[in-house]
Amino acid sequence: MKPKIWFNGKLVDWKDCNIHITSYSLHYGAAAFEGIRFYETAKGIALFRLKDHIKRLVKSSEILGMYSRYNENDLVNAAKLTVKSSGMNSGYLRPIVFYGESELYVHAKDSPVNAAMIVLPWKKYLKNNAVKVMSSSYMRLHPKSVPMEAKISGYYANSLFAIIEARKNGFDEALLADYKGNAAEGPAENFFIVKNNVLMTPPLGNILPGVTRDSIIALAKDNKIRVQEKNFRLEDAKKADEAFFTGTGAEITPIIQIDKEKIGNGKIGYLTKKLTSLFRDVVSGKNKKYDKWLEYV
Ligand code: PMP
C-alpha cells in the first residue's frame, strides 16, 4: 500500500491527495520544496538534518512571498509523523509548500498556501555507482535572475534541459557552469573535485547551498582533509584526481568521466571512498559526534 501523504495538517490516502488544475504553482513553477532522506539506525529511524532542510524550505517559500500557516516546528513534526506513518525504515521525504487554486494572475495573491509531505521509497538517485557527466551547453541560473539560495520548483526546468541534453549524448548526468564560466553544480547535486589531496568545491553564490555539501565539508575538515571553497573552470575539473557529486538524492556519487576525459585513472578515488564511508557512518548513526544531525522519528 502506498504511504499516506500529509496535506495541510492531515494524513490523507495517496489516491485521495489531489489538487485543483488551476493551482498557481503548476502553471508558474512557484513552489518551494525539499528532499530529505531517512535512514535506519540502531536507535531507530532518523531523518538526516531535518531541521536544516525545513529551515531552507521556509526560507525558500518566504523568498517567494509565500507564507505558510505552518512554522518550522510544525513542519518538523509533520515530517516525523509522515515518515512514522509510512512504516518504512528508509526512504525519501519530499516536503512541498505551494500555491493552490487560483485565477491564474501572475501576482499569485488570490491563492491559498498549501503544504504537503510525501514519502517515497528511494534507493539510488543516479542508477550507476560511478557516473559519466557531460559539461552542459546550458548555463546554471544567473544569481541576478533568481535567488540561488532558494530551492524553487521552477528552477528545475534549467536542470531538466541539462539532463535531457546529457542523456541524449549518452551521459548519466550533466555538469553546469555558472554565468562566469566557472564550474557550478549538477542538475540536482553539488560538485566537488580533489586535486593534490585538496578537496575543492565552488563557493556559495551561484549554487544551491546543499545540506550534503555542508556535511561533506565538515566531515572532511574533521578528518584533516584540506578543503577549499573556490572557483575553478570545467577544464580544471577534467584534470582533477577525483570528482564527485553530493546531494540528498545522489548522496556521494563518484564521477569517473567528464566529457571525453577520464577523471584520475577512471576509477573511484581514495578520498571519495573515504568520505563516502564517513558519510555512511554518520547517516547510519555510527558516529557519535554527528548524532546531532539525526532527527529520530
Ligand atoms: N544543487 C541542486 C540544484 C539541487 O537540486 C540539490 C538537491 N537538493 C543539491 C544541489 C544538493 O542539495 P542537498 O545536499 O541539500 O540535497
Side-chain angles (χ1 to χ4, degrees), residues 33-36 53 56 92 94 140 148 151 155-156 159 185-191 207-215 246-251:
F33 72 99
E34 278 300 319
I36 310 167
H53 281 286
R56 191 171 66 184
Y92 180 86
R94 161 59 53 85
R140 191 64 186 130
M148 288 306 287
K151 192 166 162 67
Y155 296 6
Y156 286 80
S159 296
E185 59 187 337
E189 309 90 359
N190 290 118
F191 180 59
I207 57 171
L208 182 77
V211 174
T212 321
R213 174 188 179 277
D214 179 74
S215 309
T246 65
T248 296
E251 300 179 298

Side-chain angles (χ1 to χ4, degrees), residues 183-251:
E185 59 187 337
E189 309 90 359
N190 290 118
F191 180 59
F192 284 82
I193 59 170
V194 176
K195 185 77 188 171
N196 301 327
N197 294 316
V198 180
L199 187 63
M200 281 186 247
T201 194
L204 298 183
N206 303 332
I207 57 171
L208 182 77
V211 174
T212 321
R213 174 188 179 277
D214 179 74
S215 309
I216 291 301
I217 291 173
L219 287 176
K221 286 184 176 164
D222 238 21
N223 285 274
K224 310 262 182 302
I225 298 168
R226 259 184 76 200
V227 184
Q228 291 180 344
E229 294 180 63
K230 67 170 215 180
N231 282 313
F232 52 87
R233 316 295 279 185
L234 291 181
E235 291 312 310
D236 301 326
K238 291 181 189 177
K239 291 186 223 121
D241 303 324
E242 305 179 31
F244 58 87
F245 279 136
T246 65
T248 296
E251 300 179 298

Side-chain angles (χ1 to χ4, degrees), residues 114-132:
N114 297 298
M117 305 260 173
I118 308 154
V119 167
L120 291 166
W122 264 33
K123 293 250 158 26
K124 272 202 162 69
Y125 176 65
L126 293 162
K127 68 178 191 310
N128 292 327
N129 283 334
V131 295
K132 298 179 178 176

Side-chain angles (χ1 to χ4, degrees), residues 176-190:
L176 292 91
D178 67 15
Y179 71 100
K180 290 182 175 158
N182 292 316
E185 59 187 337
E189 309 90 359
N190 290 118

